[in-house]
Amino acid sequence: MIRICSAEDVPKGSVVSADIDGLKIAIVHGEDGAFYAVYDECSHAAVALSEGEVEGCTLECWLHGSRFDLRTGEPTGLPATEPVPVYPVEIRDGDIYIPVGADGRPMPSNGVTR
């Protein structure tokens, strides 16, 4: 497990970007109150999803409006047609953690790799 930040650093409806061993991850506090972690790059255009807008359990890319389900990584709005990796998140003692493999990198829970 690797500590990312305090849960207080990510207010509901907001996103922060984290770098885990060179892998950019967007940490999202969904409007449902849950925390999510997704690969911080749109599968349609190589732009940071962490700069997008949270709506319900989706994250919208600011450039072309692609939307991704934070639970599955699946696109829910065009022009993206490919999912993005999502990662498990644990909250412990008010801090956000993401599990990492033996190589020190997060392992996607949806099987999508980048």
Side-chain angles (χ1 to χ4, degrees):
M1 288 285 196
I2 187 166
R3 180 187 177 277
I4 304 301
C5 62
S6 169
E8 291 180 353
D9 294 339
V10 192
K12 189 183 282 188
S14 70
V15 187
V16 298
S17 183
D19 186 308
I20 303 171
D21 195 32
L23 185 68
K24 297 284 188 184
I25 305 284
I27 306 296
V28 183
H29 192 168
E31 291 178 352
D32 63 351
F35 289 89
Y36 301 94
V38 301
Y39 183 64
D40 194 9
E41 185 175 288
C42 180
S43 63
H44 171 256
V47 298
L49 287 174
S50 59
E51 296 176 18
E53 296 291 322
V54 178
E55 186 176 314
C57 286
T58 64
L59 183 57
E60 182 177 340
C61 178
W62 63 270
L63 187 59
H64 296 118
S66 295
R67 288 181 306 282
F68 297 91
D69 187 308
L70 294 167
R71 300 162 293 197
T72 65
E74 291 294 324
T76 61
L78 294 173
T81 58
E82 297 295 319
V84 294
V86 295
Y87 306 91
V89 174
E90 275 189 38
I91 306 299
R92 279 198 258 153
D93 300 322
D95 291 330
I96 299 171
Y97 288 84
I98 293 180
V100 294
D103 61 358
R105 294 173 65 89
M107 298 176 61
S109 57
N110 63 344
V112 177
T113 58
R114 290 281 175 220

